[in-house]
Amino acid sequence: MTEAWERLRPVESLVKLPLYSAVGVTSGRLVYSSNVEGVRDLWSLDLSTGSSVRLTRGGVSAVAAVRPNSPLVVYAKDVGAGRELHQVFCVDARGGEERAIEGMEPRRVFGVEFDGEIVAASAASERSVELWVMRLGGEAERVYETKSIIVVSDVGSGKVVGHGVLRGNPRAFELFVFDLESLELEVFTPREGSLNRAPRLWGSKLLFATTAFGRERLVVYDLETKELAEPELRYRDHEGYDFTEYVAYGWTADGRVWFVGKRDGRTRAFVDGREVPLPEGCVTNLVPVGSRVYATHSSLASPHSVYEVDLESGERRVLLGAELPPEAAERIGEAYMVWYESADGLKVPAFVVESRAAPRPGPTVVYVHGGPWADVADSWNVMIASLAALGYHVVAPNFRGSTGYGEEFRRMIIGDPGGGDLADVVGAAEWARASGLADRVAIMGYSYGGYMTLLALTKRPDAWSAGCAGAGIADWEETYELSDALYKSFIEVLFAGRSELFRERSPITYVEGLKAPVCIVHPQNDTRTPLRPVLHLVERLLELGKTFELHVIPDAGHAIVKVEDALKVLFPMVLFLDRYLRSGGGGRG
Ligand code: 4NP
């Protein structure tokens, strides 16, 4: 068995690569998050001396934008051993004690914002989705309650703003403006049925992304004049790129608009319409400060770096970042995008990362992303990098429902999860064989990707030699019953209220059909994709004499924030793939 343990080393080195993400600048310090000490915490870097201090311990989840008018950083922290029972805290960016904001029982906080004085949060309990307002030094107050989804994206000028499913249409997002004086919530949409998201305030102006006028674009709505306009930009470098999605945007301190546009899984960043020179890949966040910009960047072949870019000279340097270990860099091939045809003729985009350590055709993994409203882009993904470093080609389909390819494509999953998207995932395996990349194929994914893995292995068993399902969904009925108000609402939107589909779209319904060996990994305290339905699936696997592994990660939740837990997810999967895919000991092939 020595060889097996040897195989874990490159995975360990990749999982332990520190990740960095810029949050904002205040008091001459760049606030950023990093897992460099084993868990994702907040740090700040003194921009004049270059030295860093650690601000938090034990991990953070949501982090509010940092404001130049306050040295405080506001964030949510899980106090429930992974159950996503959060409390809101603040800490001084220059260092000091973490302080809890009193008055809110721990609950799922999925949006937190701060204007320098007031904190606003969207949170969920078993019963309802809520809006909370907290004044520093004062008590937290629940100011609004609903059964639908509302996500806070900004607070300022006496208002809390955000988006949600506010008119009962699962295909739409409207904006909301909550007035902190009258305590009234107003709903706004430029066009009924359109998708509007993540408004950012500057005075009375709201900058947001909308599909009201066709493909997604950024617009500015003035809450006083009630006028809708295009953002005013001094430069026009962005013209002609035809972005399908705006992944990040906001205002500079002096009211200029910055944004990150995405097309075909790669982004470009602009401040006031002037492009920020960055390498190919994806920018996940941008922090403009005066004539400088701090950009968090990665690609499928390079882990996160925070670049400091001088907009005037175009000069850039890496402020924070980690190098890929040479043995991994040698093995991870170029990432490229392909479009293949699914069973019903739909063109589906996928990213392919070939392994330089695998023959062609060779063992291949179809990696299915979570969400489902997310995508695999040309940005760092430790699972994909580990697979390629170990000698597996990876095909990562952006199945129907994925974001980044337009609103029509995103909506195709609503009312049909586990339907057309499953055909697209099976299509990725067929493409991998037909193109000469794969001689045998496994499937792997986490969360919605874990669900797809379980469904694909049981309902379309002939496509796969093996499969690894992390934090999957085995039974929609039981998962729905165990969900809090936010996730109940989420499932209602995903199924467009068609709960009669729950049975037909659940892996447990097809468990008898399973052919390939399956490796199941699940966090014990997962409150998004709860463990119990998966244990019921495992009971059936046992009764039916199927080949499976089950690994429960103790004291961990859905969001893997500890490096140690990430290893506990990946190590069993890697050893399993070595046994059932690499050495060809599996079901098919
Ligand atoms: P994700 O998580 O894939 O990590 O974003 C979830 C996706 C879907 C559901 C729950 C969690 N769901 O219940 O539909």
Side-chain angles (χ1 to χ4, degrees):
M1 285 301 280
T2 40
E3 212 228 337
W5 305 115
E6 285 295 318
R7 298 269 298 157
L8 297 178
R9 231 167 256 154
V11 180
E12 182 178 3
S13 71
L14 289 171
V15 172
K16 284 187 172 170
L17 272 179
L19 299 182
Y20 299 93
S21 180
V23 174
V25 170
T26 185
S27 313
R29 292 173 167 274
L30 175 72
V31 177
Y32 62 95
S33 68
S34 179
N35 62 351
V36 61
E37 291 290 340
V39 55
R40 180 178 175 257
D41 266 307
L42 292 171
W43 296 71
S44 85
L45 180 142
D46 187 323
L47 289 168
S48 53
T49 65
S51 69
S52 280
V53 292
R54 185 173 184 177
L55 302 177
T56 67
R57 273 166 205 283
V60 298
S61 56
V63 183
V66 167
R67 303 295 186 169
N69 62 337
S70 169
L72 296 178
V73 189
V74 174
Y75 52 95
K77 209 170 174 168
D78 186 359
V79 295
R83 291 180 183 84
E84 301 188 282
L85 298 171
H86 301 108
Q87 271 191 301
V88 178
F89 288 77
C90 66
V91 68
D92 194 301
R94 296 161 294 190
E97 289 286 300
E98 296 182 62
R99 278 186 292 143
I101 297 174
E102 305 290 335
M104 184 183 80
E105 285 295 303
R107 61 223 312 112
R108 181 187 306 282
V109 172
F110 55 95
V112 60
E113 292 301 334
F114 177 51
D115 71 354
E117 289 170 16
I118 294 172
V119 177
S122 28
S125 64
E126 292 306 310
R127 221 186 47 201
S128 60
V129 176
E130 308 153 344
L131 217 54
W132 285 78
V133 172
M134 307 159 193
R135 281 163 225 271
L136 297 180
E139 281 275 293
E141 199 188 339
R142 178 172 44 211
V143 293
Y144 191 80
E145 229 179 318
T146 173
K147 290 282 181 202
S148 52
I149 298 171
I150 45 168
V151 187
V152 167
S153 60
D154 209 351
V155 55
S157 321
K159 294 173 176 66
V160 181
V161 300
H163 68 249
V165 181
L166 293 147
R167 299 241 163 100
N169 178 353
R171 291 168 181 82
F173 275 167
E174 296 79 25
L175 302 185
F176 71 82
V177 178
F178 184 82
D179 191 297
L180 288 171
E181 226 166 84
S182 68
L183 301 185
E184 277 181 27
L185 182 127
E186 252 188 78
V187 176
F188 171 73
T189 177
R191 191 170 62 76
E192 285 304 325
S194 61
L195 194 86
N196 303 277
R197 24 175 220 103
R200 309 271 171 208
L201 277 162
W202 196 73
S204 65
K205 288 178 173 172
L206 279 184
L207 170 71
F208 62 98
T210 182
T211 63
F213 312 102
R215 68 176 168 77
E216 184 167 273
R217 51 195 275 195
L218 292 177
V219 293
V220 174
Y221 180 67
D222 192 316
L223 293 169
E224 274 164 19
T225 64
K226 314 249 177 239
E227 272 170 337
L228 202 61
E230 279 194 43
E232 282 173 29
L233 303 169
R234 211 178 311 164
Y235 301 89
R236 316 225 58 92
D237 293 356
H238 60 291
E239 280 181 351
Y241 281 122
D242 213 12
F243 296 118
T244 47
E245 193 181 302
Y246 292 87
V247 295
Y249 46 84
W251 303 91
T252 63
D254 56 350
R256 295 175 296 145
V257 168
W258 63 266
F259 62 83
V260 179
K262 187 172 182 180
R263 182 176 185 86
D264 291 343
R266 293 192 170 108
T267 69
R268 287 176 186 272
F270 305 84
V271 177
D272 207 9
R274 174 152 68 169
E275 184 161 5
V276 183
L278 289 163
E280 188 172 74
C282 281
V283 171
T284 45
N285 195 24
L286 208 65
V287 178
V289 186
S291 63
R292 293 216 175 118
V293 172
Y294 300 92
T296 308
H297 173 278
S298 74
S299 74
L300 280 165
S302 56
H304 298 218
S305 298
V306 175
Y307 286 90
E308 183 183 64
V309 186
D310 187 311
L311 282 175
E312 297 303 329
S313 67
E315 264 173 55
R316 68 166 189 245
R317 66 182 177 121
V318 174
L319 206 58
L320 298 161
E323 290 284 313
L324 207 54
E327 59 289 1
E330 278 162 24
R331 293 165 147 241
I332 301 171
E334 289 288 307
Y336 59 93
M337 218 185 129
V338 297
W339 292 81
Y340 62 88
E341 209 165 285
S342 191
D344 62 359
L346 183 75
K347 289 266 194 289
V348 177
F351 269 95
V352 179
V353 180
E354 293 191 19
S355 176
R356 294 203 183 101
R360 209 176 187 285
T364 299
V365 177
V366 169
Y367 172 84
V368 189
H369 68 73
W373 291 301
D375 64 332
V376 168
D378 190 9
S379 64
W380 182 249
N381 181 309
V382 73
M383 286 199 176
I384 293 176
S386 298
L387 291 168
L390 284 165
Y392 302 110
H393 303 305
V394 184
V395 180
N398 287 313
F399 52 86
R400 67 192 71 187
S402 302
T403 50
Y405 297 89
E407 180 56 11
E408 203 190 325
F409 196 77
R410 187 196 75 89
R411 282 182 183 190
M412 291 182 87
I413 200 169
I414 298 178
D416 188 35
D421 53 352
L422 175 62
D424 299 345
V425 165
V426 172
E430 285 164 3
W431 176 86
R433 286 198 181 87
S435 67
L437 182 70
D439 56 6
R440 52 199 187 271
V441 183
I443 180 168
M444 170 168 161
Y446 190 87
S447 190
Y448 194 84
Y451 160 60
M452 277 281 110
T453 297
L454 293 175
L455 190 66
L457 289 169
T458 52
K459 197 172 183 183
R460 302 294 301 274
D462 293 323
W464 318 105
S465 295
C468 302
I473 295 165
D475 181 345
W476 284 107
E477 183 87 54
E478 197 180 7
T479 297
Y480 182 83
E481 275 161 23
L482 293 169
S483 296
D484 68 11
L486 178 71
Y487 277 92
K488 279 202 168 78
S489 200
F490 185 93
I491 294 171
E492 285 160 16
V493 166
L494 185 59
F495 279 84
R498 299 174 67 193
S499 54
E500 73 276 9
L501 285 180
F502 281 178
R503 232 183 98 79
E504 187 201 318
R505 300 299 164 92
S506 291
I508 200 158
T509 308
Y510 308 97
V511 63
E512 287 178 17
L514 181 82
K515 290 186 182 165
V518 57
C519 174
I520 294 172
V521 182
H522 212 104
Q524 181 185 356
N525 297 338
D526 197 323
T527 55
R528 295 191 217 177
T529 52
L531 171 63
R532 192 165 308 154
V534 169
L535 291 180
H536 290 149
L537 178 85
V538 168
E539 270 179 45
R540 295 286 293 133
L541 296 176
L542 190 61
E543 281 167 15
L544 294 164
K546 305 289 187 184
T547 302
F548 70 92
E549 286 188 28
L550 171 67
H551 301 262
V552 175
I553 308 172
D555 299 320
H558 190 81
I560 300 294
V561 288
K562 288 185 192 157
V563 169
E564 184 191 335
D565 290 336
L567 294 173
K568 288 182 187 173
V569 172
L570 266 169
F571 280 179
M573 292 185 176
V574 163
L575 295 178
F576 177 88
L577 289 177
D578 271 3
R579 165 82 172 80
Y580 292 105
L581 186 68
R582 187 164 167 250
S583 26
R588 183 190 157 133

